[in-house]
Amino acid sequence: MERANVKVAIWGFGAMGSGMARMILKKKGIEIVAVVDRNAARVGKDMYEVLGVERGDRKPVIISNDFDATITEKCCDVIMTATDSYTKEAFPRLKACLEKKINVISTAEEMAYPQAQSPELAAELDRIAKENGVSILGTGINPGLMMDLLVVCMTGCMEDVESIVAKRVNSLSPFGPAVMHEQGVGITVEAFDKGLQDGTLAGHVGFSESIHMIADAIGWKVDKFEQQMSPIVTQVDRKSPYGFAAAGDVAGVNMTGQGHVDGEAKILMYHPQQIEPEMVGVQTGDYITIKGSPAINMANTPEVEGGIGTYAMCVNMIPHVINAAPGLQTMIDLPVPRAIMGDFRDFIK
């Protein structure tokens, strides 16, 4: 008997949503059955036309801006939501998906560990998911892997952990307009300072989530969390697909964060990110340094590319989310991510 493909819907068809779609179309045993997006330039068009991919003998997937009409109860196994960064903003959409009795994977950075900053919403999502017999996960390259799950994995070979430093030097170039706006790419230093004061600049979203995920995973209790943000000012004009920074303006953000345990800063985060860093001789990379027994010094350079990394993490976690017990899941609750090179159906229990 022919097994049914794993069925996927995508909500948000920007850089990340369309990246997931391209990846899924190359895989076996999995198909996209619906796409929801609010961009008028995409609505009403066939997904394959928007992607510039041959449809072949596959059915057309017409992009819709009507969630309720498009996403019916149990119409797919999982819905990928690539629309927000914050749990509070994502919540109504996530709730709507769960109430259709569909498993959810979210790219919202805070959803990687929502109990860190929004414990009430995390508990509510857990309740709604359980009530509807489905599971929900937030993931991506970071938070989700490079500065948290990978750190946790590396502590697995240690008998004692004294302190942790996670550093990611990365390029913002692959990301879309929303990320450019959040990072202040292209604005003046004065506008950056103002955005910092009135809270309109997000910078990297996820330090609190990463720090709390690591601490909870190894049994530390975070008694204080702090983060800082400063502009990376460019000396040359820089242009990426979705961003532009003129000389003298802001090309990105330098983020630092600290998680205090027993009154001491034991989890440290460093994350300078900017468009086109190579233009000014900045080498990207991912680094994990853990003091303890045995000590860990891990370096990977250049960085794991953020755009591909984010949508690949989401797609590769699909079987784990479908297999998971109902409720809110995090990356420390599920089996480790791995590339799915075979038939997706073989990974479903």
Side-chain angles (χ1 to χ4, degrees):
M1 196 177 92
E2 178 63 22
R3 294 178 296 170
N5 283 337
V6 173
K7 291 183 168 55
V8 180
I10 299 174
W11 194 351
F13 212 60
M16 292 304 111
S18 62
M20 288 179 211
R22 285 178 204 282
M23 179 173 168
I24 289 168
L25 292 175
K26 295 176 196 160
K27 299 292 177 177
K28 190 171 183 216
I30 185 168
E31 65 178 303
I32 299 164
V33 296
V35 175
V36 178
D37 191 76
R38 65 183 183 196
N39 187 320
R42 295 191 277 260
V43 173
K45 288 187 177 165
D46 187 353
M47 168 188 82
Y48 295 96
E49 181 196 338
V50 171
L51 293 173
V53 172
E54 287 291 324
R55 190 171 80 220
D57 56 3
R58 294 180 279 214
K59 290 179 194 164
V61 178
I62 305 302
I63 299 172
S64 166
N65 60 2
D66 188 336
F67 172 81
D68 281 312
T70 311
I71 309 297
T72 53
E73 192 168 294
K74 293 185 178 176
C75 72
C76 56
D77 299 296
V78 63
I79 182 162
M80 321 293 280
T81 66
T83 54
D84 302 279
S85 289
Y86 305 100
T87 302
K88 191 177 174 188
E89 287 173 10
F91 182 82
R93 290 189 252 270
L94 302 176
K95 179 174 182 276
C97 296
L98 295 170
E99 286 174 346
K100 301 270 189 178
K101 302 190 185 324
I102 299 170
N103 299 297
V104 181
I105 296 176
S106 168
T107 62
E109 291 95 324
E110 286 188 355
M111 275 300 296
Y113 209 71
Q115 44 275 69
Q117 298 194 78
S118 308
E120 300 87 359
L121 291 181
E124 185 66 359
L125 286 168
D126 185 53
R127 184 191 66 75
I128 297 165
K130 283 175 175 159
E131 204 172 82
N132 289 281
V134 290
S135 61
I136 177 168
L137 171 75
T139 193
I141 190 74
N142 184 43
L145 182 66
M146 298 314 296
M147 296 182 85
D148 38 47
L149 183 63
L150 195 53
V151 173
V152 172
C153 287
M154 297 311 293
T155 66
C157 63
M158 301 179 69
E159 65 172 357
D160 180 50
V161 177
E162 293 167 31
S163 65
I164 293 165
V165 176
K167 183 177 182 183
R168 178 163 167 81
V169 182
N170 84 313
S171 170
L172 291 173
S173 294
F175 292 93
V179 171
M180 297 300 134
H181 178 71
E182 284 171 4
Q183 310 297 325
V185 171
I187 66 175
T188 64
V189 176
E190 292 73 32
F192 185 97
D193 292 340
K194 186 175 181 295
L196 200 54
Q197 282 162 3
D198 62 25
T200 52
L201 272 186
H204 168 69
V205 179
F207 273 176
S208 181
E209 289 67 31
S210 292
I211 284 172
H212 282 88
M213 188 195 295
I214 292 167
D216 287 353
I218 68 171
W220 278 354
K221 186 159 174 40
V222 176
D223 41 46
K224 186 167 74 166
F225 164 75
E226 294 177 301
Q227 71 173 25
Q228 303 80 30
M229 193 173 151
S230 60
I232 295 173
V233 181
T234 183
Q235 302 310 310
V236 295
D237 288 2
R238 301 194 214 176
K239 190 176 188 329
S240 69
Y242 298 97
F244 173 75
D249 287 343
V250 176
V253 177
N254 187 36
M255 300 284 300
T256 47
Q258 304 83 35
H260 295 255
V261 179
D262 299 328
E264 199 182 321
K266 285 195 178 179
I267 306 176
L268 305 175
M269 304 251 145
Y270 298 93
H271 192 13
Q273 46 180 357
Q274 57 198 301
I275 59 168
E276 304 300 305
E278 298 80 9
M279 284 185 71
V280 289
V282 171
Q283 298 303 307
T284 66
D286 295 290
Y287 311 91
I288 295 170
T289 308
I290 310 176
K291 275 190 186 167
S293 175
I296 302 286
N297 289 282
M298 197 206 82
N300 175 67
T301 185
E303 60 154 327
V304 175
E305 209 248 77
I308 301 171
T310 292
Y311 65 69
M313 281 291 293
C314 292
V315 173
N316 286 325
M317 289 305 291
I318 288 173
H320 298 329
V321 169
I322 293 171
N323 292 337
L328 171 67
Q329 305 291 341
T330 72
M331 291 304 293
I332 56 174
D333 301 318
L334 298 178
V336 294
R338 75 290 305 264
I340 311 276
M341 299 307 293
D343 190 316
F344 266 71
R345 293 169 293 191
D346 293 341
F347 290 82
I348 307 297
K349 288 178 183 166

